[in-house]
Amino acid sequence: GQNIDQPTEMTATEGAIVQINCTYQTSGFNGLFWYQQHAGEAPTFLSYNVLDGLEEKGRFSSFLSRSKGYSYLLLKELQMKDSASYLCAVRVRSNDYKLSFGAGTTVTVRA
Amino acid sequence: GAGVSQSPSNKVTEKGKDVELRCDPISGHTALYWYRQSLGQGLEFLIYFQGNSAPDKSGLPSDRFSAERTGGSVSTLTIQRTQQEDSAVYLCASRSRRETQYFGPGTRLLVL
């Protein structure tokens, strides 16, 4: 099977920065995705990395190191609405787009 | 435009009954996926439809689970003789030619 690990929970203060790590051991690699999921809602796409390096998109950035099997999602200037679960997912094969997901990291932002 | 929609949003059923879950993908999206999300666990892939190709059923947990996609659009996931361990959120996603999958709000299934 595929192993995708991320911390279960993180807590941070409004205005701060939080980094959510994701490590993966998969039979192949063709891209890594981050999704945000608020309680009771659908996961929504945040970022996609297929090459090493940092992708920045507003307050959110995502980093990938393929040699280390490692990614992180960086959330800056945290807002209360950022309280959600963050899902790391790997596309394993190149001939389909199935995603293997980690269990998700629940981020709680406190005032 | 409209996103992925799923119905019902919630379903409570008795053990042993059959249930049907429906997914309406984004118009024009050729690929459709079903996932299952159990409490405290990651999304688990169930089945994948791509255009007119035979579906990838490799994630279906047992032969009680089946899915079809009619006319390359709407999909129905059927669970026969439901068991309590089938209780979960069932999520549908669709994708166009690009990599990103767009998820529906899910159907919360509770088997009593």
Side-chain angles (χ1 to χ4, degrees):
Chain A
Q2 319 297 343
N3 289 322
I4 299 168
D5 294 315
Q6 48 183 133
T8 305
E9 295 180 335
M10 301 183 75
T11 301
T13 305
E14 194 174 17
I17 298 173
V18 69
Q19 177 174 315
I20 307 169
N21 295 324
C22 172
T23 57
Y24 61 89
Q25 291 177 303
T26 54
S27 56
F29 180 83
N30 286 275
L32 187 141
F33 296 76
W34 285 96
Y35 282 83
Q36 180 191 59
Q37 186 178 27
H38 286 100
E41 298 183 10
T44 55
F45 169 77
L46 288 179
S47 68
Y48 169 63
N49 295 68
V50 67
L51 298 176
D52 290 351
L54 187 68
E55 296 278 344
E56 297 187 83
K57 192 184 295 184
R59 293 188 298 112
F60 293 1
S61 303
S62 57
F63 171 84
L64 175 67
S65 169
R66 289 172 296 171
S67 63
K68 295 182 179 178
Y70 169 69
S71 173
Y72 68 72
L73 180 69
L74 193 69
L75 286 62
K76 295 180 280 190
E77 300 169 16
L78 280 173
Q79 302 175 8
M80 299 299 286
K81 67 178 182 180
D82 298 330
S83 293
S85 181
Y86 292 84
L87 312 178
C88 175
V90 173
R91 178 187 166 204
V92 175
R93 296 201 295 258
S94 62
N95 62 344
D96 65 43
Y97 288 81
K98 293 189 298 186
L99 298 180
S100 294
F101 282 84
T105 299
T106 300
V107 172
T108 302
V109 181
R110 295 195 292 205
Chain B
V4 178
S5 61
Q6 294 185 244
S7 61
S9 54
N10 292 281
K11 177 71 177 180
V12 181
T13 191
E14 293 179 347
K15 177 181 172 181
K17 301 282 189 182
D18 297 352
V19 295
E20 284 190 352
L21 313 180
R22 176 187 169 105
C23 172
D24 285 87
I26 294 172
S27 177
H29 280 195
T30 58
L32 187 148
Y33 306 77
W34 283 98
Y35 293 87
R36 177 168 70 175
Q37 187 174 33
S38 301
L39 190 64
Q41 298 186 19
L43 274 71
E44 173 191 6
F45 166 79
L46 297 177
I47 188 168
Y48 160 50
F49 296 89
Q50 172 63 61
N52 295 321
S53 303
D56 178 346
K57 305 178 183 180
S58 60
L60 295 179
S62 77
D63 59 8
R64 295 186 296 105
F65 288 72
S66 63
E68 61 179 21
R69 189 179 185 192
T70 54
S73 181
V74 172
S75 177
T76 302
L77 177 69
T78 301
I79 309 173
Q80 295 178 311
R81 305 181 302 281
T82 52
Q83 304 294 313
Q84 288 181 332
E85 61 262 29
D86 299 335
S87 297
V89 178
Y90 289 82
L91 289 160
C92 173
S94 70
R95 179 181 62 80
S96 65
R97 289 184 174 275
R98 302 187 59 154
E99 295 83 4
T100 305
Q101 295 182 24
Y102 294 89
F103 284 85
T107 293
R108 284 150 192 81
L109 174 66
L110 177 61
V111 182
L112 300 175

